[in-house]
Amino acid sequence: MLIFWILCIILCAVLGSSKGYSVWVCIVAGALGALLAVLVLFLLPDQNQEAADLSRRDQEIAALRQRVAELERAQQPAKEPVPLAKISAAPAAPSDAPAVFPARTEEVVTCPRCGRRQKGNRASCYACGLPFRYEQE
């Protein structure tokens, strides 16, 4: 019986350390619980594998964030620049007048007041609060 108890302690220490748990806690668990501790350690998740998976996911997220930043920097404005003569000739719209868009859309629109890009289904600009009005509604 003593040999069985010692084997359970050794098995708990080896199994626990291979799964990333404290060796001393596993030795104490093996001494107190013997076969039950071995079964519990066998069924516990592998912390080393979970840490590796988490590290891989963090690297993938960092790579995706970098790719999104590159795409945002490379994105060109949709409109061509308006000549300065046309800008000065156009009457200035009051700052409280709502921005008018053809229809609600899932595409990205630009707020005419602050220039922030956002989905075209919003009721107002998230940054400056300019109300949006849609012709087809």
Side-chain angles (χ1 to χ4, degrees):
M1 189 70 174
L2 180 64
I3 295 174
F4 176 73
W5 184 68
I6 292 173
L7 286 175
C8 285
I9 292 173
I10 293 170
L11 188 59
C12 282
V14 170
L15 189 60
S17 67
S18 70
K19 288 192 169 194
Y21 295 101
S22 171
V23 175
W24 293 107
V25 172
C26 294
I27 288 173
V28 170
L32 297 176
L35 188 59
L36 182 62
V38 172
L39 290 174
V40 167
L41 281 170
F42 182 72
L43 295 175
L44 282 174
D46 189 353
Q47 288 184 341
N48 293 333
Q49 183 65 33
E50 289 177 0
D53 290 345
L54 185 60
S55 173
R56 189 182 73 243
R57 273 188 243 133
D58 288 344
Q59 290 173 351
E60 289 175 5
I61 289 172
L64 288 173
R65 284 183 179 158
Q66 182 180 4
R67 178 68 178 142
V68 167
E70 289 172 3
L71 290 173
E72 286 177 346
R73 280 192 300 270
Q75 194 173 23
Q76 298 295 325
K79 300 180 194 176
E80 292 184 15
V82 178
L84 187 57
K86 286 187 178 181
I87 292 175
S88 61
S95 62
D96 293 335
V100 180
F101 296 102
R104 288 187 186 266
T105 178
E106 292 296 319
E107 299 296 320
V108 176
V109 297
T110 304
C111 175
R113 182 190 292 167
C114 66
R116 300 287 178 140
R117 298 172 50 90
Q118 54 204 304
K119 283 192 175 182
N121 60 359
R122 299 181 55 89
S124 64
C125 176
Y126 72 89
C128 67
L130 179 70
F132 293 165
R133 192 182 74 195
Y134 299 96
E135 293 173 350
Q136 296 177 1
E137 194 164 84

